[in-house]
Amino acid sequence: MLVATVALVLTLGVASRVLADRLQIPSVLFLIVAGIAIGPEMLGLVSRETFGGGLSAMVGVSVAIILFEGGYHLRLEKLRESPTALTRLVTVGAAITWLGTAAAVVVFLETSLEVGLLVGALLIATGPTVIGPILQVVTVRDHVASVLEGEGVINDVTAAILVVVIFEVFVAGNGTPAALVGDFAMRLFVGLAVGALVAGAVWLVLDRARSRPCAAALHGRLIVLAGVVVAYAGAETIASETGIAAAAMAGFVLGNVDLPSHEEIIDFLDDLSVVVLSFVFVALAALIDFADMRALGLAGLAIVVAITLVLRPAVIYLSTTDARFTHNERLFLSAVGPRGIIPASVATLFAVELQAIGRPREAQLLAGTVFLIIFATVVLQAGLARQIADSLEVSPMRTIIVGGGRVGLSLAQRLEQDGENVLLVDHDPGAVEKARKRGLRALEGDGTDADVLEDAGADDAKTVIATTPDDDVNLLVCQLAKTTFDVGEVASRVNQPDNVGAFESLGVHAIDLSMATAWSLENVLERPSLSAWMNELGRTGDVQEIEVTATDLVGKTIADLNAEIPEGVIVGLLTHRNGTTEVPTGDHELRDGDRVTFLGQTEAVDRATKRFHPHD
């Protein structure tokens, strides 16, 4: 019977993943629905008794694998994307979430401080189990993704250890409040130390097999899997609930060293995580007790509102003061903070512990509150993440700039200011480091290598721009972008005027450097005010060219549209479908397919753009 149940759970999990990929909706929504369907509330095929005493161990190992995979993908260069924001989010932000949630639970549920602190600690965690599926279907700029991924891995570890320490000190009475920090630090150190040691051992074993690639690829997967289990079990043997810290640390270390068969191991971990995520999410969702959630009544809804609409936005806005985060990106981060496996699995464990010491009401409140928050945030935040991202317009396609010299660096900064998702590629480590210091996403590699462009995301890129001082390099980059990756917009700096024709024959927008410089100097001398304003674009002023897609505006004249055009912006140019461009007068009539160029203050241009080209 147990084998049949596990097979059913895995089948539902894999089917949920396939359905999610097809509908472009995070898989956790389908996983939780599948779990509820086979649980006691509906079909009754799975209950707490189904797995006996083995569920805790199975969930523990599964979570360790998921966190190892999350840590493996958490590269140092990702952490450099928004180090200040991430640091605040996992320190001050975690503390605010913990204490704020505890206060809401105590006030609305009229329960003890101990239960409030337990629930608050559990709900610090978001985790790769819910963030990973979201980022598979929602494309955001790299600094936004790095904050979500980093928060997920780090806060999962924090939550799991903190809740154990709080239970030991405040509920079991095995310590004093003053010892809480020391106990937390000790458990964290144990987990991180064991994880680092195991990672070192795995690296040594795999490094010795480097001379045999085929064997390294095969054995590497098995050795890595063994390393995850050893790290988890070894840390748990020393101190409870330190295993996931060890697994996350082992993954992070191995993901940031030169590991043989790196790509094969990534593929293996991705496939493995799909299986264990499917199992653990469906299994735990099947154990949701809706009676516990219903018993919370309106107080439970008040806690959901407090956590999702008050605490989460406050934490995000305090953490993301960096100018790189746009207002809409901060709103997106505020709206997407679903809770996952760690709160569910640990809440189940401590609800049993509270029952055992004669506190059944508090056990019910703990389980009910945690599962209500998980259910609400997975359904509303994870399930609607793509729609939220689309409505906030935080999913720009990537712009890849090959060449990190003065031209490429300046262009990257200007495009970042315009809200583009920019990645700079250069073979020079110094240029890459310089770009990162300026807050830009940069990849070290040869832009004429198709594998490097693939790693940079050229498959899904909106634009590729070559800006190196070597025309041969630029031409090869453009050829790859056009022929291998079928990028829609390709542009290049051309250093020698005689080479412009070669670029244009490929359909590349060729910018003759000498002519561009001459034009800029002419503007400075003949049109100094305009030149100064153009240099300020992205700060106080902006120019945007868009196609008119608002059907109710087609057929109207520019004079008729005065009321539709905000103060502080003008229609500078009008480009017709036949390619002719002119400065419009009030009598010019908009036709289907016309393109309008707006010129004016940044916010006014943005409003005009959205009115004339509404988001689909």
Side-chain angles (χ1 to χ4, degrees), residues 442-463:
L443 174 69
E444 184 181 337
D446 183 356
T448 62
D449 187 331
D451 290 337
V452 172
L453 286 180
E454 185 176 8
D455 290 341
D459 284 323
D460 301 314
K462 175 180 71 173
T463 308

Side-chain angles (χ1 to χ4, degrees), residues 28 72 94 110 126 200 425 568 571 582 593 600 607 609:
V28 288
Y72 195 87
E110 299 179 350
T126 52
V425 178
V571 178
E582 55 189 334
R607 292 199 304 273
T609 299

Side-chain angles (χ1 to χ4, degrees), residues 380-520:
L380 297 177
Q381 296 185 337
L384 298 176
R386 185 162 171 255
Q387 288 73 21
I388 294 170
D390 287 343
S391 65
L392 293 174
E393 298 181 343
V394 296
S395 300
M397 293 179 69
R398 173 165 287 174
T399 294
I400 300 172
I401 299 175
V402 178
R406 288 192 298 269
V407 174
L409 196 58
S410 299
L411 178 61
Q413 289 179 300
R414 296 182 76 92
L415 291 176
E416 274 279 338
Q417 290 171 359
D418 290 339
E420 297 291 335
N421 181 17
V422 180
L423 175 65
L424 198 66
V425 178
D426 199 289
H427 63 86
D428 180 12
V432 170
E433 187 61 28
K434 185 176 181 180
R436 288 172 178 167
K437 286 181 179 178
R438 296 195 184 185
L440 297 169
R441 167 82 165 135
L443 174 69
E444 184 181 337
D446 183 356
T448 62
D449 187 331
D451 290 337
V452 172
L453 286 180
E454 185 176 8
D455 290 341
D459 284 323
D460 301 314
K462 175 180 71 173
T463 308
V464 171
I465 307 170
T467 62
T468 78
D470 188 325
D471 283 350
D472 290 336
V473 169
N474 291 342
L475 188 62
L476 182 53
V477 169
C478 294
Q479 284 177 325
L480 285 171
K482 279 286 188 181
T483 59
T484 303
F485 299 102
D486 195 25
V487 178
E489 291 287 335
V490 180
S492 180
R493 159 188 176 178
V494 181
N495 302 281
Q496 298 297 326
D498 292 344
N499 294 332
V500 169
F503 285 87
E504 292 181 340
S505 67
L506 289 173
V508 173
H509 299 293
I511 310 300
D512 182 345
L513 189 61
S514 59
M515 288 298 296
T517 303
W519 181 79
S520 297

Side-chain angles (χ1 to χ4, degrees), residues 112-118 163-175 350 353-355 357 359 362 366:
S112 64
L113 178 62
E114 293 93 333
V115 171
L117 291 172
L118 280 173
V163 73
V164 174
V165 174
I166 291 170
F167 188 87
E168 291 290 327
V169 171
F170 290 102
V171 180
N174 295 332
F350 283 106
E353 293 287 341
L354 287 170
Q355 288 271 11
I357 61 176
R359 300 170 73 169
E362 292 175 324
L366 173 70

